[in-house]
Amino acid sequence: MANTQQMANAIRALAMDAVQQANSGHPGAPMGMADMAVALWGDHLQHNPTNPHWANRDRFVLSNGHGSMLIYSVLHLTGYKLPIDELKNFRTLHSKTAGHPEVGVTPGVETTTGPLGQGITNAVGMALAEKMLAAEFNKDGHQIVNHHTYVFLGDGCLMEGISHEAVALAGAWKLNKLVALYDDNGISIDGQVAPWFIDNTPQRFAACGWNVIDAVDGHNAAAVSKAIAAAKHSADKPTLIVCKTAIGKGSPNRAGTSKAHGEPLGAEEIKLTREALGWTAEPFKIPKAVYADWDAKVAGKAREAEWNKVFAAYKAAHPALAKEFVRRMKGDLPKNFNQVAFDAIVAAHTKGETVASRKASQLALEAFTAALPEMLGGSADLTGSNLTNTKSTPAFRVDLAGDVVKTAEGQIGRHINYGVREFGMAAIMNGVALHGGYIPYGGTFLTFSDYSRNAIRMAALMKQRVIHVFTHDSIGLGEDGPTHQSIEHAASLRLIPGLDVWRPADTAETTVAWAVALQNAHRPSALLLSRQNLTYSPKSDLGDISRGAYVLAEPSEVGMKKTHGVIIATGSEVQLAMAAQKLLAERKIGVRVVSMPSTNVFDRQDTDYKQSVLPKGLPRVAVEMGSTDGWWKYGCAAVVGIDTYGESAPAPVLFKHFGFTAENVADTVHAALLKA
């Protein structure tokens, strides 16, 4: 029989020792949640430490990521490739034990947590992906997708507004394989939370359609294990288990206080804690018997081996589906993707339609969603405006019993109504991408990217293929006014490392942007799209669009032999640049027009290509309906932009008011050339 108390004390000892050695960290949460971890990892979690990427593993998310020594301790103890030296290197440069857990850095960590509330929301995305994959791939007698998503969370996660969005959607989707264990210790950095956190959490979750198991002794591993077992029997609801705990459990003088939260216990208090726990081992030393109780390698291999037999039988009965499942979980695109993309781009170019780029996006999506069953779309209550739905993506729905509704053809819905929950949508998409099997994309207005910004940043930090569709990208949306008109948003998003921002000018550029975004297996993308119609710009070559910027029109195309300058434009302003080129030709001034749909992609190109597009010695003028700051890096002599908020008026009136006319662009270029 396992000694569960000693198993829990091993976590407590490692947590306080690592934090003490680093002289930084949060010992209280892992010490308080240690018994919860024993119950989950010891009795229930379906995982294999020797293969952290096993497709049918349970997903575990530590939403209160400041308690990172909990997951590092458990990963080490159960047999993942996280040796004790990495725990000794907690919070040091290039260690696998960062201050907050990071996916892709530490084996066994499923998502990067730290910004509170996003972990539980990622977990909702993971549970959603599991439910949808099960509905799509499981067949009678063959359950190849059958696992749970578990999440530990604390008061901070529940105070964050995003948790309300996530909890509500989890209940609406009846994610019965999602189990959240709430570390109800009543303490945060500022002390007892009672004066500022009076929510009735059990009633809140119940009101959102959750099964609630309340008032469980979080320091009784058997009681917690019993509650988890009950949660696993829920047929149509996610489950919240409220675990009553004391932060810093075991510390004689700091347990139950905010002093246990975010600082080392100190050498003397650690000595007293060891005595109180009866833990006699030296720092970072774990008794062999405790290691033996925690070791999950043999059991994990056996679990995966059993699943491999299940999958082999599935493969024999449904070979095409089995091959598709493996492809999808690996994140590989279909073999015909390049041809699909090529055909879609050529079709857009051939038709040369004058449509809003949001409509151009939908046209591209029609081709891509038909060819890629892994594309999972959605919108934050703006489907008719974002145009993220297609003929191939019916609405995702679940019935009263909690089963995924299928079409008459047996297809599941692939377009999600997230409701007015932009932040929740973005973080849920991160969870879907992390789980694997789907490529998520979701839409809202560009100005509301501010709501979801931190989740966008997390997608970039985690290198996840998540695609954000942001429409109504400028003052061109018109009468809704400055609250909805984006000014700084494009420039701001371009500052996020690892995020590709596209602002395409027409149907061909939009289709290319989608193709590149889908190919970027380790990079999120944001597509910034117009509400107003955009004239198609004729092109002699489509090949360089994917490089972020290309020469759209030379002076010779308007009868000029000499090049005097360059106009750089993006999105809806490319048509202004083209019109200005003609006006300047009438003044005997020849300019090259460069369309730059993605500054991020262009900046990654080699020097030779960048200089071929933007030659040295030619004055440059940038044109974009947004903040001017980001354009000066290209050595511009002038920028036609907008550094104030917009106004409420019809778009044509606003364009003239703010100087977004061909005449003003031409005048600005002319003036810049005179100064050069």
Side-chain angles (χ1 to χ4, degrees):
M1 296 289 291
N3 186 331
T4 58
Q5 192 59 59
Q6 286 293 83
M7 290 172 71
N9 287 342
I11 296 175
R12 294 184 175 106
L14 289 172
M16 59 186 180
D17 290 342
V19 172
Q20 184 68 23
Q21 180 149 308
N23 196 30
S24 171
H26 301 76
M31 293 174 74
M33 293 188 292
D35 301 291
M36 296 161 55
V38 170
L40 175 60
W41 289 71
D43 293 345
H44 298 282
L45 198 73
Q46 177 176 281
H47 68 118
N48 180 6
T50 63
N51 182 11
H53 302 293
W54 169 34
N56 200 46
R57 70 192 181 278
D58 288 339
R59 271 62 169 179
F60 173 75
V61 175
L62 183 68
S63 190
N64 40 355
H66 56 272
S68 56
M69 272 309 303
L70 176 106
I71 193 168
Y72 297 150
S73 298
V74 173
L75 291 172
H76 167 73
L77 292 166
T78 54
Y80 285 79
K81 288 186 178 179
L82 194 67
I84 196 68
D85 284 346
E86 289 293 348
L87 275 65
K88 292 179 181 178
N89 292 332
F90 180 54
R91 288 185 165 229
T92 62
L93 185 64
H94 302 317
S95 76
K96 293 183 178 180
T97 49
H100 294 81
E102 294 187 31
V103 68
V105 173
T106 312
V109 169
E110 301 284 2
T111 180
T112 301
T113 52
L116 293 176
Q118 288 198 58
I120 174 62
T121 314
N122 293 165
V124 170
M126 293 175 185
L128 174 65
E130 190 277 340
K131 188 181 189 83
M132 297 184 71
L133 284 169
E136 188 174 354
F137 285 97
N138 287 353
K139 301 298 178 183
D140 289 343
H142 301 281
Q143 304 295 306
I144 63 165
V145 181
N146 184 18
H147 54 267
H148 286 77
T149 301
Y150 297 98
V151 55
F152 282 10
L153 71 161
D155 293 311
C157 293
L158 295 178
M159 285 187 247
E160 290 285 0
I162 191 175
S163 73
H164 292 259
E165 300 179 22
V167 167
L169 284 169
W173 295 332
K174 302 182 186 298
L175 301 179
N176 61 300
K177 289 189 175 179
L178 173 63
V179 180
L181 289 86
Y182 168 30
D183 178 30
D184 186 12
N185 61 40
I187 295 292
S188 69
I189 293 175
D190 283 354
Q192 290 282 345
V193 300
W196 57 84
F197 183 51
I198 63 169
D199 300 24
N200 188 319
T201 297
Q203 287 186 14
R204 170 187 157 194
F205 275 70
C208 289
W210 285 58
N211 171 44
V212 177
I213 303 175
D214 196 7
V216 175
D217 181 356
H219 299 305
N220 183 331
V224 176
S225 181
K226 182 180 178 181
I228 296 171
K232 289 163 70 175
H233 285 98
S234 177
D236 62 350
K237 293 180 180 179
T239 298
L240 175 73
I241 302 173
V242 181
C243 298
K244 301 291 185 180
T245 65
I247 192 171
K249 173 70 173 177
S251 172
N253 298 303
R254 294 199 175 188
T257 73
S258 59
K259 291 290 287 182
H261 176 80
E263 61 184 58
L265 297 182
E268 183 59 29
E269 187 65 17
I270 289 176
K271 178 176 179 293
L272 295 174
T273 302
R274 277 184 147 75
E275 293 172 357
L277 295 174
W279 187 264
T280 58
E282 294 296 313
F284 297 106
K285 297 292 184 181
I286 304 296
K288 290 182 179 179
V290 176
Y291 269 129
D293 286 342
W294 269 112
D295 194 346
K297 294 192 294 294
V298 173
K301 288 179 180 178
R303 287 191 187 97
E304 184 174 357
E306 185 61 34
W307 181 82
N308 287 338
K309 293 178 182 177
V310 172
F311 189 76
Y314 178 83
K315 184 177 180 180
H318 306 282
L321 280 176
K323 185 177 181 180
E324 179 72 356
F325 178 78
V326 170
R327 177 188 74 79
R328 296 259 298 266
M329 292 305 292
K330 287 174 66 177
D332 294 340
L333 296 176
K335 288 184 178 180
N336 68 338
F337 175 79
N338 288 341
Q339 188 64 50
V340 169
F342 178 82
D343 291 345
I345 295 165
V346 170
H349 175 64
T350 302
K351 293 178 182 178
E353 295 177 275
T354 294
V355 294
S357 54
R358 61 171 175 165
K359 181 61 179 178
S361 171
Q362 187 179 47
L363 294 172
L365 281 172
E366 289 288 358
F368 289 124
T369 56
L372 276 68
E374 60 263 47
M375 290 186 69
L376 179 62
S379 175
D381 203 49
L382 290 168
T383 300
S385 294
N386 301 149
L387 304 182
T388 48
N389 58 328
T390 69
K391 295 175 183 177
S392 302
T393 57
F396 171 75
R397 295 288 184 267
V398 295
D399 61 23
L400 292 176
D403 296 323
V404 176
V405 175
K406 295 185 178 181
T407 66
E409 296 74 30
Q411 303 300 309
I412 67 170
R414 289 198 286 136
H415 189 273
I416 296 173
N417 299 101
Y418 286 98
V420 188
R421 301 182 179 99
E422 296 87 359
F423 193 6
M425 174 179 69
I428 285 171
M429 290 197 296
N430 288 350
V432 169
L434 286 159
H435 180 281
Y438 293 103
I439 300 174
Y441 66 92
T444 186
F445 290 171
L446 177 56
T447 190
F448 300 143
S449 64
D450 285 340
Y451 284 142
S452 44
R453 183 181 178 86
N454 198 262
I456 299 170
R457 180 180 187 271
M458 294 304 295
L461 179 62
M462 296 188 289
K463 300 180 174 63
Q464 294 302 304
R465 178 166 46 191
V466 177
I467 303 172
H468 293 270
V469 179
F470 293 125
T471 67
H472 297 61
D473 69 343
S474 71
I475 60 172
L477 67 88
E479 292 86 344
D480 274 343
T483 59
H484 284 52
Q485 292 168 2
S486 297
I487 301 298
E488 77 280 15
H489 299 81
S492 177
L493 288 170
R494 288 170 182 147
L495 292 175
I496 298 177
L499 174 70
D500 277 355
V501 179
W502 291 86
R503 191 163 179 258
D506 56 26
T507 53
E509 288 190 7
T510 304
T511 308
V512 169
W514 266 109
V516 174
L518 289 165
Q519 288 173 315
N520 281 339
H522 304 292
R523 183 185 294 270
S525 301
L527 277 61
L528 282 47
L529 308 169
S530 73
R531 175 179 184 259
Q532 72 273 26
N533 286 346
L534 307 182
T535 303
Y536 188 80
S537 298
K539 300 167 181 59
S540 58
D541 187 4
L542 302 173
D544 287 337
I545 299 174
S546 63
R547 304 187 75 169
Y550 64 102
V551 178
L552 177 60
E554 293 284 23
S556 58
E557 296 173 42
V558 287
M560 299 299 297
K561 293 182 179 180
K562 186 176 180 181
T563 303
H564 299 94
V566 178
I567 304 177
I568 310 169
T570 74
S572 52
E573 289 70 76
V574 169
Q575 59 190 6
L576 287 182
M578 295 290 283
Q581 184 193 46
K582 294 179 180 178
L583 292 178
L584 288 164
E586 294 174 1
R587 306 179 194 180
K588 306 303 180 184
I589 299 172
V591 296
R592 166 185 285 187
V593 176
V594 169
S595 178
M596 191 177 287
S598 178
T599 63
N600 308 97
V601 175
F602 179 68
D603 290 349
R604 293 199 299 273
Q605 303 304 309
D606 60 76
T607 300
D608 287 345
Y609 180 74
K610 286 190 282 190
Q611 290 184 354
S612 73
V613 175
L614 301 176
K616 291 182 178 180
L618 289 178
R620 305 163 188 173
V621 174
V623 186
E624 183 174 60
M625 278 193 267
S627 175
T628 61
D629 282 357
W631 290 105
W632 300 108
K633 69 178 179 179
Y634 296 110
C636 293
V639 179
V640 179
I642 176 171
D643 290 315
T644 65
Y645 292 111
E647 297 279 354
S648 179
V653 175
L654 294 174
F655 296 155
K656 185 176 181 180
H657 175 73
F658 286 106
F660 290 100
T661 64
E663 291 76 12
N664 186 52
V665 173
D667 289 345
T668 303
V669 172
H670 196 169
L673 292 174
L674 290 174
K675 293 180 180 178

